[in-house]
Amino acid sequence: GVMEKLGLGPEVLLQENPRLIYARLTGFGQTGKYARSAGHDINYLSLSGVLSKLGRKDENPYAPLNLLADFAGGGVMCALGIVTALYERTKSGRGQIIDASMVKGVAYLSSFLWKTRNLGFWDRPRGENLLDSGAPYYETYKTSDGKFMAVGAIEPQFYEQLIKGLGLHSDKLPSQMSYSDWPEMKKKFASIFAQKTQAEWCSIFDGTDACVTPVLSFDDVASHQHNKQRSSFIKNDQEEISPRPAPLLSRTPAVPSLKRDPLIGEHTEEILLEYGFTKEEIAKLCSDKVIEINKPKANL
């Protein structure tokens, strides 16, 4: 309702420009019991049902930072809605309003969970299923140097290579899909992974289809050979590392700026001057704390 209070609601603006695409990105949505309530990623996840699926056995559900509802269910789904509306407008010539709710967005993002409930993927309690840390072959394991390896050897042929790399023999082990043996197998795998460093395990599994990879830290990720070959990360003029824009387009790839990120308020005065504000007006806005001006200091 904030934009309506400003007289800039979608109904008003669409009268001015019927081709306008007006995206409204919120946590709980434009209507419903919680529509005007405060919330954060963890709240939207909880209301979508997705949070109930995240977590290990006998532990509380946990939120994966704020990536799932805020950025995936919110930002990405909203952007997809805008692209869809832009495409539709090429046919109808008309704009429309997009109600992008993080609750609904992340729920729809989890359609796979809903559609596979009757296939045996998620019929066990949280933390006891194939992809939620229940299976010993879809898990992370600590190495002797305190780092971790990620294991995702689901298919039988990949699982066989995992077993081989660990120095085990499948004919002396329980069946891969024997749920009752999973806890004991996880302990066995953990004890073996703990005997070598991350680098040693990489030398064993790199080049195989065992689906075993190092869990890279932010400090290590840009220097990893695969990421270097793909130019997946970039450095700005301050030597700060960040991911290169994705996905990569063949004709019109993104051209990232190599300048440092601007400080909050760094260009406020510059932009307002461009829009015709006087220096006196800008000074008044700043003293009234309507705007923030943050001039970077020279490093001498």
Side-chain angles (χ1 to χ4, degrees), residues 121-173:
F121 283 124
W122 310 103
D123 56 352
R124 301 172 68 83
R126 181 176 62 254
E128 296 183 24
N129 299 279
L130 181 65
L131 302 178
D132 65 358
S133 79
Y137 48 86
Y138 203 89
E139 178 61 289
T140 57
Y141 292 99
K142 195 171 187 178
T143 57
S144 63
D145 54 348
K147 298 181 180 181
F148 295 89
M149 298 298 289
V151 176
I154 297 176
E155 290 80 0
Q157 66 272 28
F158 302 157
Y159 181 70
E160 188 60 37
Q161 293 199 42
L162 167 66
I163 295 302
K164 181 181 177 182
L166 292 175
L168 300 171
H169 299 279
S170 55
D171 56 354
K172 297 180 181 179
L173 298 173

Side-chain angles (χ1 to χ4, degrees), residues 230-237 240-249 252-262:
R230 294 277 298 164
S231 299
S232 299
F233 294 84
I234 55 176
K235 279 186 180 180
N236 66 12
D237 55 9
E240 296 169 329
I241 296 173
S242 61
R244 184 178 292 275
L248 181 64
L249 304 185
T252 58
V255 181
S257 170
L258 297 182
K259 295 180 180 179
R260 63 163 176 79
D261 293 340

Side-chain angles (χ1 to χ4, degrees), residues 51-62:
L51 187 57
S52 71
K53 297 293 185 183
L54 305 179
R56 294 183 177 276
K57 181 180 179 181
D58 299 326
E59 292 184 11
N60 295 354
Y62 64 80

Side-chain angles (χ1 to χ4, degrees), residues 6 71 86-88 118 167 182-183 199 202 218 225 229 269 299:
L6 298 173
F71 296 112
L86 283 167
Y87 178 70
E88 193 280 334
N118 297 326
W182 278 3
C202 286
F218 273 27
Q225 186 179 11
Q229 291 168 346
E269 183 176 12
N299 295 319

Side-chain angles (χ1 to χ4, degrees), residues 16-221:
E16 294 289 326
N17 179 9
R19 290 175 55 84
L20 183 68
I21 292 163
Y22 194 113
R24 315 194 79 167
L25 175 57
T26 59
F28 294 116
Q30 296 296 322
T31 59
K33 179 179 178 179
Y34 293 153
R36 295 183 181 274
S37 299
H40 279 294
D41 188 285
I42 194 169
N43 306 116
Y44 313 138
L45 276 180
S46 71
L47 209 61
S48 72
V50 176
L51 187 57
S52 71
K53 297 293 185 183
L54 305 179
R56 294 183 177 276
K57 181 180 179 181
D58 299 326
E59 292 184 11
N60 295 354
Y62 64 80
L65 306 178
N66 69 322
L67 297 175
L68 204 47
D70 279 356
F71 296 112
V76 174
M77 295 298 277
C78 183
L80 180 61
I82 292 170
V83 171
T84 304
L86 283 167
Y87 178 70
E88 193 280 334
R89 191 174 69 181
T90 65
K91 298 182 176 183
S92 68
R94 299 170 58 200
Q96 54 187 312
I97 304 165
I98 299 163
D99 179 357
S101 151
M102 292 180 190
V103 173
K104 291 181 73 172
V106 75
Y108 184 60
L109 198 67
S110 71
S111 294
F112 166 71
L113 305 182
W114 293 89
K115 301 295 184 181
T116 56
R117 281 195 301 169
N118 297 326
L119 299 181
F121 283 124
W122 310 103
D123 56 352
R124 301 172 68 83
R126 181 176 62 254
E128 296 183 24
N129 299 279
L130 181 65
L131 302 178
D132 65 358
S133 79
Y137 48 86
Y138 203 89
E139 178 61 289
T140 57
Y141 292 99
K142 195 171 187 178
T143 57
S144 63
D145 54 348
K147 298 181 180 181
F148 295 89
M149 298 298 289
V151 176
I154 297 176
E155 290 80 0
Q157 66 272 28
F158 302 157
Y159 181 70
E160 188 60 37
Q161 293 199 42
L162 167 66
I163 295 302
K164 181 181 177 182
L166 292 175
L168 300 171
H169 299 279
S170 55
D171 56 354
K172 297 180 181 179
L173 298 173
S175 165
Q176 179 185 356
M177 293 305 293
S178 176
Y179 291 103
S180 61
D181 291 303
W182 278 3
E184 197 57 39
M185 289 297 292
K186 285 179 73 170
K187 291 178 183 177
K188 182 183 289 288
F189 287 4
S191 67
I192 296 174
F193 272 107
Q195 294 171 17
K196 290 181 171 64
T197 66
Q198 186 186 72
E200 288 174 324
W201 285 119
C202 286
S203 68
I204 290 172
F205 285 111
D206 281 2
T208 75
D209 282 336
C211 301
V212 179
T213 49
V215 178
L216 299 175
S217 69
F218 273 27
D219 292 331
D220 299 332
V221 68

